[in-house]
Structures are given as structure tokens and as C-alpha cells.
Amino acid sequence: TLMVTKVDEPSKYGVVVTKENGEIERFVEKPQVYVGNRINAGIYIFNPPVLSRIEPRPTSIEKEIFPAMASDGELYAMDLPGFWMDIGQPKDYLTGMCLYLAYLRRAHPEKLASGPGIVGNVLIHPTAQVGPDCLIGPNVTIGPDCRIDQGVRLSKCTVMDRSVVGSNSWINHSIIGWEGNIGKWVRMEGCSVLGEDVLIKDELYINGGKILHHKQITASIPGAAIIM
């Protein structure tokens, strides 16, 4: 069984064409004419014998195994309830985060943070520490064992596990990877992304920077750039 979801622009994806009973007839990659609007949602439920179809060589399940199973009438589709989106790009990841936080607001508001300094939908892990005089939100997630120092402003961003944001820094529309270390008075925006274990020195400006793992940044990045 493949989980499928409906999308507004099926021409960007591979479309799953099914019979009325849910049996998958075929797959159409990025169709130029409309054949349907249900696509592979990336969640599969299989019995162990399906492994016998995979040969001991580099194999694409989506391009080789699934079409063969559909041809044999052994593959069915199930509609995915709730929301779905492709989060392969940083801006899409942040949009997906916002959707998830909005879902929590509707379904499990008790899981969201509240109180002084919290604006809108904010999810803070119980082990994270937030200092005084911070303004957090809207649309922020803070992971386990993070430390947010005094006077920090966070909005539409995610701070992953074991990261530190120094005092009086301003982070907007950005992703801070695991074990990141953001100095004091840093300004970060423009869909900036930090990989794992990135150090940003004090008083720097990062605007649209994509910084790979284990880097130390000692100068501002005023425009979109990839730091390898």
C-alpha cells in the first residue's frame, strides 16, 4: 500500500493513477496533461515478501519495483488524511513547520508554549532553557537541550538540538542546525540555514547564507551564499 495525497499542481510530481477500488494502474512522471492529482506521499506499508523483488544491485523502488507491482495488480493506494507538503527546500521546511504548529494549535494546544515573551505558535522542548527578556514567536520550534540567552528575538525559525543563541541576537526565517552556536548581537534572516556544529561569531549579519557543517563564521554574509 502507498499513501497518496492530493496536490494543486500535479505536473511538478509523479502522479499515481488508480482504479475506483484503489488499485494502482500506473505512475505518470510530471504529466503535461491532467491525469489526476494524487501523488506518492512517501509512506509505504508492505508485507515482507516484497523484498524478494529487490535485486542485490542499486535499485529504485519508485521507478522499478512499484511499476512492476502495479503491473501485477499488487499495489494499492490509500489517501493520507491531514496536510502534506514537500519540505525538500529550506523555505518549504519552514512553511511545513508553520503548518504543523497551526495543527497543534487546533488539536493539542496544551503542547504549545505560553506565557510572557511568547507570541503565537511556539513549541519549546521541556529541556530547553530560555533566558529573561526574550521574545519568542510566532512560528518557532526550539529543540532539546537548547539554550536561548537573555534578550533574544526569534520568529519563524527552528533551533535544533543542543544549540545556543547568544544574548540580544535576532533570528528570523532561518534554520539553526544541531549544536549550533550563535554569538551575541547576531542578526540572521533571509532563509539562512546552518548545518551541524556551526559557530557564528558575535555581532555578525547573516542574510540568506547556507553554511555547511562544522564551520566557523567570522565575517558577515550580507547576501545569499553557500559556505562549504
Side-chain angles (χ1 to χ4, degrees), residues 90-92 94-95 97-98 138-140 154-158 170-176 188-193 206-210:
K91 64 181 180 61
D92 297 326
L94 290 170
T95 299
M97 178 195 71
C98 294
N139 296 314
V140 171
L154 303 177
S155 62
K156 197 176 183 181
C157 65
T158 185
W170 187 95
I171 314 294
N172 175 60
H173 202 247
S174 296
I175 299 171
I176 298 174
M188 186 182 304
E189 60 186 340
C191 204
S192 293
V193 181
I206 311 296
N207 180 24
K210 307 296 188 291

Side-chain angles (χ1 to χ4, degrees), residues 4-77:
V4 297
T5 186
K6 293 181 179 179
V7 295
D8 294 331
E9 297 183 38
S11 62
K12 295 169 55 179
Y13 305 94
V15 173
V16 180
V17 181
T18 64
K19 299 178 181 178
E20 290 187 2
N21 65 350
E23 180 184 337
I24 295 176
E25 288 185 325
R26 58 195 171 102
F27 300 88
V28 181
E29 185 66 24
K30 298 182 179 178
Q32 298 306 302
V33 296
Y34 183 84
V35 295
N37 64 346
R38 298 159 84 214
I39 69 169
N40 183 351
I43 302 173
Y44 314 135
I45 306 171
F46 293 134
N47 292 322
V50 75
L51 298 176
S52 65
R53 289 180 171 270
I54 303 175
E55 299 179 10
R57 61 175 177 81
T59 304
S60 169
I61 294 178
E62 289 82 2
K63 294 181 179 179
E64 299 179 55
I65 306 303
F66 290 172
M69 292 177 68
S71 179
D72 294 340
E74 296 181 357
L75 200 57
Y76 286 78

Side-chain angles (χ1 to χ4, degrees), residues 176-199:
I176 298 174
W178 308 271
E179 299 182 345
N181 193 329
I182 311 302
K184 301 175 182 178
W185 294 98
V186 169
R187 182 182 180 99
M188 186 182 304
E189 60 186 340
C191 204
S192 293
V193 181
L194 308 187
E196 182 178 3
D197 182 34
V198 170
L199 170 64

